[in-house]
Amino acid sequence: AAALRGAAASDLPPPDSLAGIGAPTLILAWPRDRSHPVAVARTLADILPEATLHIADDDRAIQRWPDLVADFCAGPSGR
């Protein structure tokens, strides 16, 4: 609970700092997550140069997340 309260009270780092992160990043979002708004996921996807964003519109899409993570972790040859 303390970690969630701390995260809620924190802002993202400045966009220019985030833009310097060159690591591949998988961003998974869904509209009903009140702790992690889709708007923030879209912002991160726009800023991070190696970001891949998936927005789940329903529970079936969320159930696909393990496969998305596995494909992402497999690297470019697995995608």
Side-chain angles (χ1 to χ4, degrees):
L4 291 176
R5 283 192 299 275
S10 300
D11 288 331
L12 291 172
D16 56 333
S17 294
L18 291 172
I21 298 172
T25 306
L26 178 62
I27 302 170
L28 303 174
W30 63 300
R32 292 180 290 176
D33 184 348
R34 290 180 276 158
S35 298
H36 304 93
V38 170
V40 174
R42 290 183 198 273
T43 297
L44 286 170
D46 288 342
I47 294 171
L48 294 167
E50 295 293 324
T52 301
L53 172 63
H54 290 276
I55 299 173
D57 293 324
D58 56 31
D59 290 341
R60 185 175 173 151
I62 292 171
Q63 292 172 356
R64 290 187 42 236
W65 282 2
D67 292 334
L68 292 173
V69 171
D71 290 347
F72 183 83
C73 289
S77 62
R79 291 185 212 151

